[in-house]
Amino acid sequence: MPEANPTEPGFAPIEGGCTCRAVRYRIEARPLFVHGCHCRWCQRESGSALAINAMIEADRVTLLAGTPERVATPSASGRGQTILRCPQCRVALWSHYAGGGERVAFVRVGTLDTPDALPPEIHIFTSTKQPWVALPAGVPAVPEYYDRKQYWSPASLARWAELRARQPG
């Protein structure tokens, strides 16, 4: 078991990777926020009812083995995204969206060794969720996107402000 990160009490780094294990990574800090996204684009890309993404500073994702392939794809915003995939088994590991650029990684929680460690903190784009998906009580759910000031912790908001101040984008 990894040691707890001394800068974030109670958080231990979490490792993950692709199916064939050619690419391995570790998230070194608690994510800024975890989304359960029910938009049609995420449904299509994941082949499932939703995508669960842990939003984290890209410099807090450490590559342990392999080199993911960068694949540019369209997005609903029209600004596109870059998906980092294993070049062998093709599993999507994380994305960079135009809004956050290369400084923010949206890690696919399902690729973590312990995906149950990071459940969604909010469900977004529920206006297009599959009707048979039951959302958990006590977890915020919004029809489209949200105002981060309303849902993020003060610590995550501070990290976001620091990230935006040091790296334009």
Side-chain angles (χ1 to χ4, degrees):
M1 186 69 137
E3 291 182 29
N5 183 336
T7 63
E8 295 191 61
F11 182 81
I14 304 171
E15 293 187 6
C18 64
T19 301
C20 74
R21 300 187 64 82
V23 179
R24 297 286 300 159
Y25 69 89
R26 178 175 51 237
I27 60 171
E28 305 287 354
R30 185 178 315 281
L32 294 164
F33 211 61
V34 180
H35 298 136
C37 185
H38 298 263
C39 78
R40 296 292 187 200
W41 285 84
C42 283
Q43 290 176 29
R44 184 177 305 107
E45 287 175 3
S46 68
S48 186
L50 73 153
I52 304 174
N53 291 307
M55 186 179 179
I56 187 168
E57 299 93 328
D59 63 3
R60 295 183 186 196
V61 178
T62 301
L63 195 57
L64 303 174
T67 303
E69 178 182 12
R70 303 171 68 78
V71 179
T73 64
S75 68
S77 72
R79 297 167 60 191
Q81 69 173 303
T82 301
I83 301 175
L84 283 88
R85 294 183 174 276
C86 171
Q88 293 178 37
C89 68
R90 312 301 297 158
V91 165
L93 300 161
W94 64 84
S95 289
H96 298 290
Y97 290 90
E102 295 292 316
R103 65 186 172 192
V104 180
F106 286 75
V107 174
R108 303 297 198 277
V109 171
T111 66
L112 294 170
D113 295 345
T114 54
D116 50 317
L118 296 177
E121 296 174 271
I122 194 167
H123 288 271
I124 59 176
F125 295 98
T126 60
S127 63
T128 53
K129 83 170 186 60
Q130 293 300 313
W132 42 264
V133 170
L135 299 176
V139 177
V142 294
E144 300 300 322
Y145 204 69
Y146 63 95
D147 177 0
R148 72 180 54 89
K149 292 175 190 161
Q150 186 177 351
Y151 294 99
W152 286 23
S153 71
S156 287
L157 289 170
R159 284 170 52 195
W160 180 252
E162 177 187 322
L163 180 68
R164 293 187 55 85
R166 71 173 180 211
Q167 214 171 12

PDB file of all heavy atoms in Angstrom, residues 40-66:
ATOM      1  N   ARG A  40     -23.947  12.632 -24.078  1.00  0.00           N
ATOM      2  CA  ARG A  40     -23.941  11.637 -25.167  1.00  0.00           C
ATOM      3  C   ARG A  40     -22.540  11.378 -25.694  1.00  0.00           C
ATOM      4  O   ARG A  40     -22.229  10.270 -26.121  1.00  0.00           O
ATOM      5  CB  ARG A  40     -24.865  12.087 -26.298  1.00  0.00           C
ATOM      6  CG  ARG A  40     -26.325  12.175 -25.897  1.00  0.00           C
ATOM      7  CD  ARG A  40     -26.905  10.816 -25.609  1.00  0.00           C
ATOM      8  NE  ARG A  40     -28.345  10.956 -25.394  1.00  0.00           N
ATOM      9  CZ  ARG A  40     -29.084  10.082 -24.777  1.00  0.00           C
ATOM     10  NH1 ARG A  40     -28.555   8.975 -24.307  1.00  0.00           N
ATOM     11  NH2 ARG A  40     -30.370  10.282 -24.632  1.00  0.00           N
ATOM     12  N   TRP A  41     -21.663  12.395 -25.676  1.00  0.00           N
ATOM     13  CA  TRP A  41     -20.289  12.197 -26.151  1.00  0.00           C
ATOM     14  C   TRP A  41     -19.570  11.188 -25.247  1.00  0.00           C
ATOM     15  O   TRP A  41     -18.900  10.281 -25.739  1.00  0.00           O
ATOM     16  CB  TRP A  41     -19.526  13.522 -26.174  1.00  0.00           C
ATOM     17  CG  TRP A  41     -19.949  14.387 -27.311  1.00  0.00           C
ATOM     18  CD1 TRP A  41     -21.030  15.227 -27.338  1.00  0.00           C
ATOM     19  CD2 TRP A  41     -19.335  14.481 -28.588  1.00  0.00           C
ATOM     20  NE1 TRP A  41     -21.114  15.841 -28.558  1.00  0.00           N
ATOM     21  CE2 TRP A  41     -20.079  15.410 -29.347  1.00  0.00           C
ATOM     22  CE3 TRP A  41     -18.219  13.883 -29.158  1.00  0.00           C
ATOM     23  CZ2 TRP A  41     -19.740  15.748 -30.642  1.00  0.00           C
ATOM     24  CZ3 TRP A  41     -17.879  14.235 -30.451  1.00  0.00           C
ATOM     25  CH2 TRP A  41     -18.637  15.144 -31.180  1.00  0.00           C
ATOM     26  N   CYS A  42     -19.688  11.355 -23.939  1.00  0.00           N
ATOM     27  CA  CYS A  42     -19.034  10.413 -23.006  1.00  0.00           C
ATOM     28  C   CYS A  42     -19.643   9.022 -23.120  1.00  0.00           C
ATOM     29  O   CYS A  42     -18.940   8.021 -23.013  1.00  0.00           O
ATOM     30  CB  CYS A  42     -19.110  10.932 -21.570  1.00  0.00           C
ATOM     31  SG  CYS A  42     -17.917  12.244 -21.226  1.00  0.00           S
ATOM     32  N   GLN A  43     -20.939   8.956 -23.323  1.00  0.00           N
ATOM     33  CA  GLN A  43     -21.576   7.649 -23.508  1.00  0.00           C
ATOM     34  C   GLN A  43     -20.988   6.951 -24.727  1.00  0.00           C
ATOM     35  O   GLN A  43     -20.641   5.772 -24.680  1.00  0.00           O
ATOM     36  CB  GLN A  43     -23.090   7.801 -23.648  1.00  0.00           C
ATOM     37  CG  GLN A  43     -23.778   8.216 -22.362  1.00  0.00           C
ATOM     38  CD  GLN A  43     -25.254   8.460 -22.541  1.00  0.00           C
ATOM     39  OE1 GLN A  43     -25.903   7.860 -23.394  1.00  0.00           O
ATOM     40  NE2 GLN A  43     -25.813   9.338 -21.711  1.00  0.00           N
ATOM     41  N   ARG A  44     -20.847   7.688 -25.813  1.00  0.00           N
ATOM     42  CA  ARG A  44     -20.316   7.109 -27.048  1.00  0.00           C
ATOM     43  C   ARG A  44     -18.852   6.692 -26.870  1.00  0.00           C
ATOM     44  O   ARG A  44     -18.456   5.603 -27.257  1.00  0.00           O
ATOM     45  CB  ARG A  44     -20.447   8.109 -28.195  1.00  0.00           C
ATOM     46  CG  ARG A  44     -20.018   7.568 -29.542  1.00  0.00           C
ATOM     47  CD  ARG A  44     -20.216   8.570 -30.686  1.00  0.00           C
ATOM     48  NE  ARG A  44     -21.588   9.052 -30.772  1.00  0.00           N
ATOM     49  CZ  ARG A  44     -21.993  10.278 -30.412  1.00  0.00           C
ATOM     50  NH1 ARG A  44     -21.143  11.166 -29.961  1.00  0.00           N
ATOM     51  NH2 ARG A  44     -23.254  10.622 -30.521  1.00  0.00           N
ATOM     52  N   GLU A  45     -18.045   7.600 -26.302  1.00  0.00           N
ATOM     53  CA  GLU A  45     -16.616   7.314 -26.154  1.00  0.00           C
ATOM     54  C   GLU A  45     -16.337   6.162 -25.197  1.00  0.00           C
ATOM     55  O   GLU A  45     -15.398   5.403 -25.404  1.00  0.00           O
ATOM     56  CB  GLU A  45     -15.870   8.555 -25.677  1.00  0.00           C
ATOM     57  CG  GLU A  45     -15.732   9.595 -26.756  1.00  0.00           C
ATOM     58  CD  GLU A  45     -15.110  10.871 -26.246  1.00  0.00           C
ATOM     59  OE1 GLU A  45     -14.729  10.942 -25.064  1.00  0.00           O
ATOM     60  OE2 GLU A  45     -15.010  11.814 -27.040  1.00  0.00           O
ATOM     61  N   SER A  46     -17.136   6.047 -24.148  1.00  0.00           N
ATOM     62  CA  SER A  46     -16.895   4.999 -23.165  1.00  0.00           C
ATOM     63  C   SER A  46     -17.628   3.700 -23.507  1.00  0.00           C
ATOM     64  O   SER A  46     -17.294   2.649 -22.967  1.00  0.00           O
ATOM     65  CB  SER A  46     -17.331   5.463 -21.765  1.00  0.00           C
ATOM     66  OG  SER A  46     -18.742   5.595 -21.707  1.00  0.00           O
ATOM     67  N   GLY A  47     -18.636   3.800 -24.379  1.00  0.00           N
ATOM     68  CA  GLY A  47     -19.440   2.627 -24.673  1.00  0.00           C
ATOM     69  C   GLY A  47     -20.280   2.227 -23.473  1.00  0.00           C
ATOM     70  O   GLY A  47     -20.689   1.077 -23.334  1.00  0.00           O
ATOM     71  N   SER A  48     -20.557   3.182 -22.598  1.00  0.00           N
ATOM     72  CA  SER A  48     -21.292   2.917 -21.371  1.00  0.00           C
ATOM     73  C   SER A  48     -22.280   4.052 -21.111  1.00  0.00           C
ATOM     74  O   SER A  48     -22.402   4.980 -21.907  1.00  0.00           O
ATOM     75  CB  SER A  48     -20.291   2.795 -20.209  1.00  0.00           C
ATOM     76  OG  SER A  48     -20.955   2.401 -19.030  1.00  0.00           O
ATOM     77  N   ALA A  49     -22.962   3.974 -19.992  1.00  0.00           N
ATOM     78  CA  ALA A  49     -23.974   4.974 -19.661  1.00  0.00           C
ATOM     79  C   ALA A  49     -23.364   6.296 -19.207  1.00  0.00           C
ATOM     80  O   ALA A  49     -24.023   7.329 -19.273  1.00  0.00           O
ATOM     81  CB  ALA A  49     -24.894   4.438 -18.569  1.00  0.00           C
ATOM     82  N   LEU A  50     -22.136   6.276 -18.737  1.00  0.00           N
ATOM     83  CA  LEU A  50     -21.484   7.493 -18.276  1.00  0.00           C
ATOM     84  C   LEU A  50     -19.978   7.275 -18.222  1.00  0.00           C
ATOM     85  O   LEU A  50     -19.498   6.144 -18.256  1.00  0.00           O
ATOM     86  CB  LEU A  50     -21.986   7.925 -16.894  1.00  0.00           C
ATOM     87  CG  LEU A  50     -21.542   7.101 -15.682  1.00  0.00           C
ATOM     88  CD1 LEU A  50     -21.534   7.994 -14.449  1.00  0.00           C
ATOM     89  CD2 LEU A  50     -22.454   5.925 -15.435  1.00  0.00           C
ATOM     90  N   ALA A  51     -19.265   8.385 -18.152  1.00  0.00           N
ATOM     91  CA  ALA A  51     -17.816   8.352 -17.940  1.00  0.00           C
ATOM     92  C   ALA A  51     -17.550   8.972 -16.577  1.00  0.00           C
ATOM     93  O   ALA A  51     -18.174   9.975 -16.218  1.00  0.00           O
ATOM     94  CB  ALA A  51     -17.103   9.134 -19.024  1.00  0.00           C
ATOM     95  N   ILE A  52     -16.646   8.367 -15.829  1.00  0.00           N
ATOM     96  CA  ILE A  52     -16.254   8.925 -14.539  1.00  0.00           C
ATOM     97  C   ILE A  52     -14.819   9.411 -14.683  1.00  0.00           C
ATOM     98  O   ILE A  52     -13.912   8.625 -14.961  1.00  0.00           O
ATOM     99  CB  ILE A  52     -16.400   7.903 -13.399  1.00  0.00           C
ATOM    100  CG1 ILE A  52     -17.839   7.387 -13.355  1.00  0.00           C
ATOM    101  CG2 ILE A  52     -15.997   8.537 -12.067  1.00  0.00           C
ATOM    102  CD1 ILE A  52     -18.081   6.265 -12.373  1.00  0.00           C
ATOM    103  N   ASN A  53     -14.656  10.726 -14.542  1.00  0.00           N
ATOM    104  CA  ASN A  53     -13.369  11.375 -14.742  1.00  0.00           C
ATOM    105  C   ASN A  53     -12.928  12.108 -13.488  1.00  0.00           C
ATOM    106  O   ASN A  53     -13.694  12.899 -12.926  1.00  0.00           O
ATOM    107  CB  ASN A  53     -13.447  12.391 -15.886  1.00  0.00           C
ATOM    108  CG  ASN A  53     -13.627  11.726 -17.224  1.00  0.00           C
ATOM    109  OD1 ASN A  53     -12.874  10.850 -17.585  1.00  0.00           O
ATOM    110  ND2 ASN A  53     -14.635  12.164 -17.967  1.00  0.00           N
ATOM    111  N   ALA A  54     -11.685  11.857 -13.083  1.00  0.00           N
ATOM    112  CA  ALA A  54     -11.068  12.566 -11.965  1.00  0.00           C
ATOM    113  C   ALA A  54     -10.248  13.708 -12.542  1.00  0.00           C
ATOM    114  O   ALA A  54      -9.244  13.492 -13.216  1.00  0.00           O
ATOM    115  CB  ALA A  54     -10.189  11.628 -11.154  1.00  0.00           C
ATOM    116  N   MET A  55     -10.684  14.909 -12.284  1.00  0.00           N
ATOM    117  CA  MET A  55     -10.011  16.101 -12.792  1.00  0.00           C
ATOM    118  C   MET A  55      -8.854  16.442 -11.859  1.00  0.00           C
ATOM    119  O   MET A  55      -9.052  16.640 -10.659  1.00  0.00           O
ATOM    120  CB  MET A  55     -11.029  17.248 -12.834  1.00  0.00           C
ATOM    121  CG  MET A  55     -10.551  18.497 -13.443  1.00  0.00           C
ATOM    122  SD  MET A  55     -11.927  19.680 -13.409  1.00  0.00           S
ATOM    123  CE  MET A  55     -11.119  21.071 -14.150  1.00  0.00           C
ATOM    124  N   ILE A  56      -7.629  16.495 -12.415  1.00  0.00           N
ATOM    125  CA  ILE A  56      -6.435  16.714 -11.598  1.00  0.00           C
ATOM    126  C   ILE A  56      -5.386  17.461 -12.411  1.00  0.00           C
ATOM    127  O   ILE A  56      -5.352  17.356 -13.643  1.00  0.00           O
ATOM    128  CB  ILE A  56      -5.880  15.356 -11.089  1.00  0.00           C
ATOM    129  CG1 ILE A  56      -4.741  15.551 -10.089  1.00  0.00           C
ATOM    130  CG2 ILE A  56      -5.474  14.454 -12.234  1.00  0.00           C
ATOM    131  CD1 ILE A  56      -4.353  14.269  -9.349  1.00  0.00           C
ATOM    132  N   GLU A  57      -4.534  18.198 -11.723  1.00  0.00           N
ATOM    133  CA  GLU A  57      -3.433  18.874 -12.388  1.00  0.00           C
ATOM    134  C   GLU A  57      -2.578  17.819 -13.090  1.00  0.00           C
ATOM    135  O   GLU A  57      -2.230  16.799 -12.506  1.00  0.00           O
ATOM    136  CB  GLU A  57      -2.559  19.627 -11.388  1.00  0.00           C
ATOM    137  CG  GLU A  57      -3.287  20.714 -10.609  1.00  0.00           C
ATOM    138  CD  GLU A  57      -3.854  20.255  -9.279  1.00  0.00           C
ATOM    139  OE1 GLU A  57      -4.261  19.071  -9.151  1.00  0.00           O
ATOM    140  OE2 GLU A  57      -3.913  21.091  -8.354  1.00  0.00           O
ATOM    141  N   ALA A  58      -2.246  18.068 -14.357  1.00  0.00           N
ATOM    142  CA  ALA A  58      -1.485  17.093 -15.143  1.00  0.00           C
ATOM    143  C   ALA A  58      -0.122  16.795 -14.522  1.00  0.00           C
ATOM    144  O   ALA A  58       0.368  15.666 -14.623  1.00  0.00           O
ATOM    145  CB  ALA A  58      -1.327  17.581 -16.572  1.00  0.00           C
ATOM    146  N   ASP A  59       0.459  17.772 -13.845  1.00  0.00           N
ATOM    147  CA  ASP A  59       1.772  17.523 -13.236  1.00  0.00           C
ATOM    148  C   ASP A  59       1.680  16.664 -11.976  1.00  0.00           C
ATOM    149  O   ASP A  59       2.689  16.324 -11.370  1.00  0.00           O
ATOM    150  CB  ASP A  59       2.534  18.822 -12.972  1.00  0.00           C
ATOM    151  CG  ASP A  59       1.860  19.755 -11.978  1.00  0.00           C
ATOM    152  OD1 ASP A  59       0.796  19.413 -11.411  1.00  0.00           O
ATOM    153  OD2 ASP A  59       2.404  20.867 -11.772  1.00  0.00           O
ATOM    154  N   ARG A  60       0.478  16.289 -11.594  1.00  0.00           N
ATOM    155  CA  ARG A  60       0.287  15.380 -10.463  1.00  0.00           C
ATOM    156  C   ARG A  60      -0.081  13.972 -10.933  1.00  0.00           C
ATOM    157  O   ARG A  60      -0.508  13.133 -10.150  1.00  0.00           O
ATOM    158  CB  ARG A  60      -0.763  15.944  -9.509  1.00  0.00           C
ATOM    159  CG  ARG A  60      -0.276  17.251  -8.883  1.00  0.00           C
ATOM    160  CD  ARG A  60      -1.236  17.815  -7.899  1.00  0.00           C
ATOM    161  NE  ARG A  60      -0.747  19.127  -7.454  1.00  0.00           N
ATOM    162  CZ  ARG A  60      -1.187  19.741  -6.377  1.00  0.00           C
ATOM    163  NH1 ARG A  60      -2.121  19.193  -5.621  1.00  0.00           N
ATOM    164  NH2 ARG A  60      -0.712  20.920  -6.053  1.00  0.00           N
ATOM    165  N   VAL A  61       0.070  13.738 -12.231  1.00  0.00           N
ATOM    166  CA  VAL A  61      -0.079  12.408 -12.820  1.00  0.00           C
ATOM    167  C   VAL A  61       1.317  11.983 -13.262  1.00  0.00           C
ATOM    168  O   VAL A  61       1.920  12.617 -14.126  1.00  0.00           O
ATOM    169  CB  VAL A  61      -1.045  12.401 -14.022  1.00  0.00           C
ATOM    170  CG1 VAL A  61      -1.136  11.008 -14.641  1.00  0.00           C
ATOM    171  CG2 VAL A  61      -2.428  12.897 -13.607  1.00  0.00           C
ATOM    172  N   THR A  62       1.844  10.940 -12.628  1.00  0.00           N
ATOM    173  CA  THR A  62       3.194  10.465 -12.925  1.00  0.00           C
ATOM    174  C   THR A  62       3.116   9.228 -13.803  1.00  0.00           C
ATOM    175  O   THR A  62       2.455   8.249 -13.436  1.00  0.00           O
ATOM    176  CB  THR A  62       3.946  10.120 -11.621  1.00  0.00           C
ATOM    177  OG1 THR A  62       3.995  11.287 -10.803  1.00  0.00           O
ATOM    178  CG2 THR A  62       5.355   9.623 -11.898  1.00  0.00           C
ATOM    179  N   LEU A  63       3.776   9.270 -14.931  1.00  0.00           N
ATOM    180  CA  LEU A  63       3.849   8.114 -15.822  1.00  0.00           C
ATOM    181  C   LEU A  63       4.874   7.144 -15.245  1.00  0.00           C
ATOM    182  O   LEU A  63       6.025   7.516 -15.010  1.00  0.00           O
ATOM    183  CB  LEU A  63       4.238   8.573 -17.225  1.00  0.00           C
ATOM    184  CG  LEU A  63       4.020   7.599 -18.355  1.00  0.00           C
ATOM    185  CD1 LEU A  63       2.564   7.151 -18.449  1.00  0.00           C
ATOM    186  CD2 LEU A  63       4.453   8.235 -19.668  1.00  0.00           C
ATOM    187  N   LEU A  64       4.471   5.912 -14.991  1.00  0.00           N
ATOM    188  CA  LEU A  64       5.342   4.893 -14.400  1.00  0.00           C
ATOM    189  C   LEU A  64       5.921   3.949 -15.441  1.00  0.00           C
ATOM    190  O   LEU A  64       7.017   3.419 -15.260  1.00  0.00           O
ATOM    191  CB  LEU A  64       4.578   4.083 -13.345  1.00  0.00           C
ATOM    192  CG  LEU A  64       3.964   4.875 -12.200  1.00  0.00           C
ATOM    193  CD1 LEU A  64       3.114   3.962 -11.325  1.00  0.00           C
ATOM    194  CD2 LEU A  64       5.053   5.564 -11.379  1.00  0.00           C
ATOM    195  N   ALA A  65       5.184   3.695 -16.506  1.00  0.00           N
ATOM    196  CA  ALA A  65       5.648   2.776 -17.556  1.00  0.00           C
ATOM    197  C   ALA A  65       4.924   3.093 -18.851  1.00  0.00           C
ATOM    198  O   ALA A  65       3.753   3.484 -18.844  1.00  0.00           O
ATOM    199  CB  ALA A  65       5.367   1.325 -17.162  1.00  0.00           C
ATOM    200  N   GLY A  66       5.629   2.922 -19.956  1.00  0.00           N
ATOM    201  CA  GLY A  66       5.039   3.106 -21.276  1.00  0.00           C
ATOM    202  C   GLY A  66       4.864   4.564 -21.651  1.00  0.00           C
ATOM    203  O   GLY A  66       5.148   5.467 -20.868  1.00  0.00           O
TER     204      GLY A  66
END
